[in-house]
Amino acid sequence: MDYTWNFKPLPPQAIVATLQQELNISEPLAILLAQRGVTTFQQAKDFFRPTFSQLHNPFLMKGMKEAVARLDRALKSNETILIYGDYDVDGTSAVSFMERYLSNFTSKLHTYVPDRYTEGYGISFQGIDYAEAQGCTLIIALDCGIKAIDKVEYAKEKAIDFIIADHHRPSEQVPDAIAVLDPQQADCPYPYKELCGCGLGFKLAQAYHEYLQRPFSELIPLLDLVAVATAADIVPMNGENRCLTYFGLEVLNNNPSAGVKALFGEHQGKITITDVVFKAAPRVNAAGRIEHGKYAVALLTETDEEQAVLKAKEIDALNTHRKELDSSIAAEALNQIEANGEQEHYTSVVFNEEWHKGVIGIVASRLIEHYYRPTVVFTKSGNKYAASARSVQGFDIYEALEQCSEYLEQFGGHKYAAGLTLRPEQYPLFKNAFEEVVKQTIDSSLRIPKLFIDTALPLSKLTQKLYNVLKQFEPFGPLNLPPLFYAENVIDTGFAKRIGKDEEHLKLTLKEVGTTSYYDAVGFGLAHKLPIVTSGRPFSIVYSIEENQWNGRASLQLQIRDIK
């Protein structure tokens, strides 16, 4: 895939110069900090050395006082509590967090994760019926519930109260719960708006601990789950999220719970955000995609190490099955596009009634890697067709679906991802309408993926000292992504070759013209760029930096994102 290269705006030179002088760092590092909103010595200190003092008072959040009062009454009255959460990583981590926290105060707890296929996302009537059957008088809903107006009313009829802790955008009307904790509410004064569902669960626990006048340090061992949820939910990695994840990674590496430790298996070296996103998160998600989210909660709340290892193996097997499914379905979908002669379309819309509903969202993302365009993947669900939709950067797929709503039974989502259902006879009509809407509304510039380059960094300025400072930019995530650099006048030293099972990747050894220092490099999916590399002429690269461990020796390695 070819990319358009976009350079991020350079910050004011005066700010860059001040940071260089006060922090004794190089210009590229000062530019990276300023691009992330770090412009003073104190901000840099807070960025590189987070402290718990950066966390806001939880009682600033609308509804927190009422939530704590109701929780306290439930615990002191020995009520039975149901902890309810979504089936993805954030939801199951939030349920596990709250179960681990509240088990310090009561044994009268139940957990509930809805079935992805029979109940769907969010609060269900079935879940409330379960709460009633267990004698629960309070439901704490995490990572869902902000739109469950009718479900909360249904629970009230059964004398069951709700505390909702959700981070999704609310509608004009919110459920009439005892308390609604959601910083996205327009009238919520809480300073930080980007917490995930598990992060909101942490704020409820923090508030209750403050109310009980118990030490904050008792909450720290639970931060491994907050780190997993925050990283996996792809929320901005700044403010409170960065602070909680920073300390959560310390727990992950030094004293994780039995369940979380088993989730990572025999991991070598330090666990990073990359490990959470690409190793742990898909395993947790696989439970809800292939079987049921309750298996993830069972693992994440397990305290016995031997049992945790067994449960982790079960989830690992589900993830292996998930990978096989999404790989085979993606191949079938690509074949369908080619067989229909739709390679040059503005959209990808595919259907097969045999495709597994739990992986069609992943398949949609895979198709975008191949054909960079808005994508909708359908399968059969009961007597209807259900789909996951994914978009490309800058294009609002929710708005496009709205323009095709006459063909849809229902749909929901946001700018870049959505879910929808329709009747079978509407499928060809929707497919044609969606293609036409996208064709008429998408800007031509959005049809080519973009790389956003932080700053130029000639290979001659690449040092171990610079990399050591870069490592302190972690944890990475949205608004604090791993930096991408630009270098020109680069040549290969003659060792370039294709690697990988299908020879789709590149292995290189690069240096700048007129210099002697060279660096090993790898370019995933860049085998088609080999003629540029071996032409004998200098070329330009966009790259990130990583550390390669081999035989106990560490060396810097470039990960090449594109070559021109």
Side-chain angles (χ1 to χ4, degrees):
M1 188 178 287
D2 290 318
Y3 294 91
T4 300
W5 294 6
N6 292 265
F7 287 85
K8 293 179 182 177
L10 288 174
Q13 184 56 40
I15 291 175
V16 173
T18 300
L19 288 171
Q20 278 186 261
Q21 182 178 1
E22 292 185 351
L23 301 175
N24 190 27
I25 56 175
S26 64
E27 183 180 50
L29 289 169
I31 289 171
L32 293 176
L33 284 174
Q35 286 173 331
R36 285 153 177 75
V38 178
T39 59
T40 67
F41 179 85
Q42 184 58 47
Q43 287 175 340
K45 184 179 177 184
D46 291 341
F47 182 80
F48 286 123
R49 301 287 182 270
T51 64
F52 287 120
S53 64
Q54 294 171 19
L55 299 180
H56 302 296
N57 179 350
F59 286 100
L60 293 174
M61 195 176 296
K62 180 185 178 183
M64 188 62 80
K65 183 179 177 182
E66 292 79 5
V68 166
R70 181 65 184 91
L71 176 60
D72 187 56
R73 177 157 63 89
L75 293 172
K76 287 179 177 171
S77 303
N78 204 28
E79 295 179 47
T80 303
I81 301 171
L82 180 72
I83 306 166
Y84 192 116
D86 188 23
Y87 40 69
D88 69 358
V89 182
D90 187 16
T92 53
S93 296
V95 169
S96 303
F97 171 93
M98 193 56 65
E99 198 276 340
R100 281 172 54 185
Y101 176 68
L102 292 181
S103 63
N104 293 306
F105 305 98
T106 181
S107 60
K108 298 186 72 172
L109 295 172
H110 293 274
T111 60
Y112 193 91
V113 176
D115 184 280
R116 187 185 197 104
Y117 305 105
T118 61
E119 296 170 82
Y121 168 79
I123 309 297
S124 68
F125 292 115
Q126 188 175 325
I128 295 169
D129 289 342
Y130 175 84
E132 181 185 35
Q134 303 305 316
C136 299
T137 48
L138 174 65
I139 297 175
I140 301 175
L142 301 152
D143 191 37
C144 59
I146 194 63
K147 294 187 177 181
I149 294 168
D150 55 341
K151 312 297 193 309
V152 171
E153 289 302 318
Y154 181 71
K156 273 186 180 179
E157 294 170 7
K158 298 176 178 294
I160 300 172
D161 289 335
F162 257 97
I163 294 172
I164 293 172
D166 195 357
H167 66 123
H168 297 98
R169 193 175 299 277
S171 302
E172 284 187 24
Q173 182 184 359
V174 297
D176 187 22
I178 293 294
V180 176
L181 308 176
D182 188 342
Q184 299 283 350
Q185 294 178 92
D187 58 346
C188 179
Y190 195 70
Y192 190 69
K193 307 294 184 183
E194 305 296 342
L195 291 162
C196 67
C198 190
L200 284 171
F202 174 83
K203 297 307 293 189
L204 176 56
Q206 182 190 1
Y208 189 58
H209 240 56
E210 282 189 21
Y211 170 78
L212 295 177
Q213 297 184 319
R214 293 180 64 157
F216 178 88
S217 58
E218 293 179 350
L219 299 174
I220 294 175
L222 298 171
L223 288 177
D224 53 357
L225 285 170
V226 182
V228 168
T230 303
D233 217 48
I234 319 296
V235 288
M237 195 57 74
N238 61 6
E240 282 193 308
N241 282 341
R242 191 167 186 276
C243 178
L244 292 170
T245 305
Y246 177 90
F247 288 106
L249 284 170
E250 286 191 351
V251 177
L252 266 174
N253 281 288
N254 300 318
N255 189 32
S257 64
V260 174
K261 181 181 179 182
L263 179 64
F264 285 89
E266 298 297 322
H267 185 83
Q268 300 296 316
K270 182 181 176 184
I271 294 173
T272 66
I273 284 294
T274 301
D275 298 316
V276 173
V277 172
F278 292 104
K279 187 173 183 178
R283 289 173 171 172
V284 175
N285 265 332
R289 291 185 185 280
I290 305 300
E291 285 289 341
H292 199 289
K294 65 185 180 183
Y295 294 106
V297 174
L299 170 62
L300 296 176
T301 56
E302 182 57 65
T303 56
D304 180 271
E305 291 203 358
E306 287 186 12
Q307 286 298 311
V309 169
L310 292 174
K311 289 176 179 176
K313 286 180 178 177
E314 291 175 3
I315 281 188
D316 211 28
L318 293 175
N319 190 45
T320 299
H321 183 43
R322 187 274 307 168
K323 286 191 281 188
E324 292 167 352
L325 280 173
D326 74 58
S327 180
S328 63
I329 293 172
E332 290 174 19
L334 288 170
N335 288 337
Q336 189 177 124
I337 290 169
E338 292 172 16
N340 292 338
E342 296 169 351
Q343 297 94 320
E344 302 304 317
H345 277 204
Y346 283 73
T347 64
S348 297
V349 180
V350 290
F351 162 75
N352 186 314
E353 66 177 37
E354 300 296 329
W355 289 343
H356 196 293
K357 189 179 175 185
V359 300
I360 55 175
I362 301 173
V363 171
S365 297
R366 280 179 173 265
L367 295 186
I368 287 177
E369 291 172 10
H370 195 91
Y371 294 108
Y372 190 73
R373 59 200 192 190
T375 298
V376 189
V377 180
F378 280 90
T379 188
K380 195 169 185 181
S381 179
N383 59 356
K384 296 178 183 176
Y385 290 179
S388 282
R390 297 290 184 270
S391 193
V392 296
Q393 192 164 27
F395 184 77
D396 192 330
I397 201 165
Y398 185 88
E399 196 173 285
L401 291 173
E402 274 192 320
Q403 294 184 54
C404 304
S405 59
E406 63 184 289
Y407 307 108
L408 304 177
E409 287 282 289
Q410 59 183 37
F411 70 100
H414 53 79
K415 184 174 182 177
Y416 292 120
L420 56 147
T421 59
L422 48 68
R423 296 193 308 276
E425 63 269 21
Q426 298 290 350
Y427 172 74
L429 300 173
F430 165 78
K431 181 171 179 171
N432 291 335
F434 186 66
E435 169 73 13
E436 193 58 34
V437 165
V438 173
K439 184 177 180 179
Q440 296 299 327
T441 58
I442 193 168
D443 190 276
S444 59
S445 67
L446 302 182
R447 301 187 68 202
I448 304 172
K450 297 177 175 63
L451 287 177
F452 292 93
I453 302 163
D454 291 81
T455 187
L457 182 65
L459 300 188
S460 56
K461 292 188 177 180
L462 181 53
T463 63
Q464 186 66 46
K465 179 183 176 183
L466 180 142
Y467 179 72
N468 290 342
V469 178
L470 273 184
K471 283 200 292 188
Q472 296 177 56
F473 278 59
E474 297 178 1
F476 292 123
L479 302 187
N480 184 38
L481 292 169
L484 276 185
F485 300 108
Y486 166 81
E488 57 188 13
N489 288 322
V490 175
I491 56 172
D492 181 68
T493 57
F495 297 100
K497 62 179 180 180
R498 293 186 174 95
I499 60 170
K501 187 174 121 182
D502 298 318
E503 294 196 337
E504 70 269 42
H505 312 308
L506 278 185
K507 184 85 172 79
L508 312 161
T509 305
L510 304 177
K511 69 170 193 169
E512 279 176 342
V513 174
T515 66
T516 56
S517 297
Y518 59 87
Y519 294 93
D520 289 332
V522 62
F524 294 109
L526 294 180
H528 63 290
K529 300 283 187 176
L530 186 61
I532 298 175
V533 174
T534 56
S535 68
R537 295 190 299 273
F539 49 88
S540 299
I541 59 172
V542 176
Y543 70 99
S544 57
I545 312 166
E546 55 192 20
E547 199 167 47
N548 188 32
Q549 300 281 346
W550 180 254
N551 286 338
R553 183 173 162 269
S555 61
L556 297 184
Q557 176 177 279
L558 313 182
Q559 185 173 137
I560 310 299
R561 295 293 303 277
D562 201 14
I563 299 171
K564 289 188 180 180

